[in-house]
Each structure stands twice: as structure tokens, then as C-alpha cells.
């Protein structure tokens, strides 16, 4: 996920705008590592930078991006689904195409991308979780990477859900190999994939409390002995926000 916005097309033309300009600002980061008690020894304690998500792109997107967008919108209309209701925004950033999809329409959009002959995104290579504490009302994001073997193309789908309602429909019925990926994303981020055949932890113990890759999960650890020295656990070395 990006913290800046640029105006490159997917062939790499154009010059990226400086970080922090444009896009959708969701917060401000101070310092380098979040230390707020003088423990930041990096020398970047006074650094202030905005945290911004890439903004929506405007037509033309460039190259085959427009072809994919046109075909997807047309295919959804044929199913009596208004594209504007399903596609919240289309982002072209760093030469890559991402459709932000309303979660209630995720399965239909994914099935359309898979089955339409002009699209044929046959392969989903997994789902990644992201947690943005500053993105109020949509703190949890699920990002899907879709590849068309037929047409040699790669795109992303992205959906969001609030911390208070962390539910996203499962794509296992469309892409069965997502079974393991959804379990891992649930395990680490707490995203609940409704309709998954067996949504259980896959990495952490079954009785583990919390979701370790959320940004508000407390930093912890155990002391380690190294060459005769006792190295304290990370949460005892410095205080992090």
C-alpha cells in the first residue's frame, strides 16, 4: 500500500509527485519508528510526514487498463448491477491498476473478472490484509491479486471494512486456492471471511488472543541471551506508539 500519489501511466511514463502530495490523507506520522519518549535513536525524531492513500484516477487510464475497466463495467451492467454501486474507485498508481470494490459486491465482481472472455482473470494469487488505524470507518483492508493467464495481465481488487464490523465475503467459491490465504489473513488481522468452509487459525495457536499484525496490537517479546548478554524483550527496550 502506498503512502503517496503519482501520475504515472502503466508504461512508467510521467514523474511521480512528491510523497504526501495528492491522494487521500488519512493521518500524520511523526518520527521514524513511533517512539514518543525519546527512545528513537535513528536521528529522525523530528520527521513529520502525511500518510496518504492514492486517489482515484481519471480517464483515460492508459493502455489496456481502459479496456479492462470498460469490459468490467459493461459486464456488470449486463447483470443489472450499476458499476458505480460496485466499484467505489479506480486507482492507477505506480503503473498498477486497482479496483476498490464494495464488499457486498465482491463475489459478483470476482466471478465476472474470472468468467468474462474478454477479462479471464483465472488466477487469484492470494489475499493480503492491511490495517490503517487512521482510515476511520474502513480500518481493515483486504487486497486480492488477480492474474489473467489468457491475456497476460495483472490487477488488484481491494475491499475495506471497519474494525467494528470486520466482515468480508469469502472468495473461496470463486477461487478455491484462497482457502489458506483467507485463513492466514483472518489469523493475523481478524478479518472474518463469511462463507469460508473452515475459518480457523493457521499460524497462531487456536487459543491465541488478538490479531498480531493489527497496528494496535501491543509489541511484545521475550528476553534473549546473546554472547553472554541479556537482551530485553522489544517492548521493554523502547516505548512505541
Amino acid at each position: 500500500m502506498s503512502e503517496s500519489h503519482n501520475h504515472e501511466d502503466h508504461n512508467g511514463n510521467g514523474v511521480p509527485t512528491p510523497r504526501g502530495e495528492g491522494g487521500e490523507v488519512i493521518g500524520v506520522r511523526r518520527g521514524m519508528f513511533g517512539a514518543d519518549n525519546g527512545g528513537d535513536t535513528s536521528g529522525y525524531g523530528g520527521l513529520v510526514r502525511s500518510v496518504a492513500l492514492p486517489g482515484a484516477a481519471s480517464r483515460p487510464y492508459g493502455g489496456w487498463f481502459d479496456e479492462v475497466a470498460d469490459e468490467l463495467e459493461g459486464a456488470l451492467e449486463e447483470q443489472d448491477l450499476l458499476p458505480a454501486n460496485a466499484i467505489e474507485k479506480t486507482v492507477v498508481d505506480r503503473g498498477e491498476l486497482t479496483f476498490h470494490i464494495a464488499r457486498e459486491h465482491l463475489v459478483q465482481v470476482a466471478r465476472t473478472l474470472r468468467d468474462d472472455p474478454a477479462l479471464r482473470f483465472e488466477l487469484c494469487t492470494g489475499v493480503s490484509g492491511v490495517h490503517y488505524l487512521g482510515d476511520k470507518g474502513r480500518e481493515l483492508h483486504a487486497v486480492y491479486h488477480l492474474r489473467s493467464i489468457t491475456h497476460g495481465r495483472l490487477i488488484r481488487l481491494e475491499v475495506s471494512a471497519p474494525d467494528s464490523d470486520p466482515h468480508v465475503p469469502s472468495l473461496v467459491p470463486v477461487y478455491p486456492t484462497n482457502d489458506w490465504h483467507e485463513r492466514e489473513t483472518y489469523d493475523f488481522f481478524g478479518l472474518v471471511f463469511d462463507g469460508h468452509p473452515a475459518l480457523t487459525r493457521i499460524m497462531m495457536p487456536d487459543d491465541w488472543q488478538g490479531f498480531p499484525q493489527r497496528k494496535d496490537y501491543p509489541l511484545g517479546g521475550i528476553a534473549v541471551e546473546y554472547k553472554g548478554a541479556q537482551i530485553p524483550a522489544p517492548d521493554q527496550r523502547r516505548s512505541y506508539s
Side-chain angles (χ1 to χ4, degrees):
M1 307 304 297
S2 170
E3 292 183 2
S4 64
H5 178 61
N6 70 38
H7 301 287
E8 291 180 287
D9 67 19
H10 72 282
N11 293 314
N13 299 320
V15 179
T17 58
R19 284 181 176 272
E21 293 187 13
E24 184 179 356
V25 177
I26 62 172
V28 176
R29 180 172 297 159
R30 300 181 184 277
M32 180 60 80
F33 298 109
D36 57 6
N37 67 341
D40 186 353
T41 60
S42 68
Y44 290 93
L47 181 67
V48 179
R49 64 189 300 191
S50 61
V51 179
L53 305 180
S58 56
R59 298 273 197 158
Y61 304 140
W64 57 263
F65 289 2
D66 290 281
E67 180 184 341
V68 168
D70 289 342
E71 184 61 34
L72 175 59
E73 292 174 6
L76 294 177
E77 288 176 345
E78 291 175 359
Q79 300 171 58
D80 297 322
L81 175 58
L82 289 176
N85 291 340
I87 305 172
E88 296 176 338
K89 69 176 178 179
T90 301
V91 172
V92 177
D93 186 64
R94 287 168 173 76
E96 297 176 331
L97 176 66
T98 304
F99 295 109
H100 288 248
I101 306 298
R103 56 180 171 170
E104 62 269 23
H105 298 301
L106 175 63
V107 174
Q108 184 173 355
V109 170
R111 185 173 287 112
T112 300
L113 286 165
R114 184 194 67 182
D115 294 345
D116 189 285
L119 296 169
R120 292 297 290 153
F121 286 90
E122 308 98 330
L123 177 64
C124 179
T125 59
V127 55
S128 302
V130 192
H131 191 209
Y132 291 112
L133 283 175
D135 199 9
K136 299 303 181 184
R138 52 183 190 183
E139 292 87 356
L140 290 165
H141 292 234
V143 184
Y144 304 84
H145 311 273
L146 305 184
R147 182 175 295 277
S148 171
I149 299 172
T150 298
H151 302 292
R153 295 168 175 175
L154 180 67
I155 65 171
R156 288 195 196 93
L157 300 183
E158 185 167 340
V159 298
S160 61
D163 275 340
S164 58
D165 182 28
H167 289 264
V168 172
S170 173
L171 284 190
V172 172
V174 183
Y175 297 108
T177 54
N178 257 29
D179 186 342
W180 302 99
H181 299 284
E182 290 182 4
R183 284 183 60 191
E184 183 174 357
T185 304
Y186 160 73
D187 197 355
F188 286 150
F189 290 91
L191 271 164
V192 179
F193 293 92
D194 295 327
H196 188 282
L199 193 62
T200 57
R201 290 193 182 272
I202 190 173
M203 304 292 287
M204 308 303 291
D206 290 341
D207 59 352
W208 192 267
Q209 298 298 311
F211 306 103
Q213 288 190 353
R214 287 198 184 190
K215 294 295 179 61
D216 53 1
Y217 189 83
L219 183 66
I222 59 173
V224 177
E225 184 175 345
Y226 180 70
K227 291 188 176 180
Q230 286 289 332
I231 310 300
D235 59 333
Q236 297 172 9
R237 295 179 214 168
R238 296 176 182 167
S239 176
Y240 290 83
S241 58

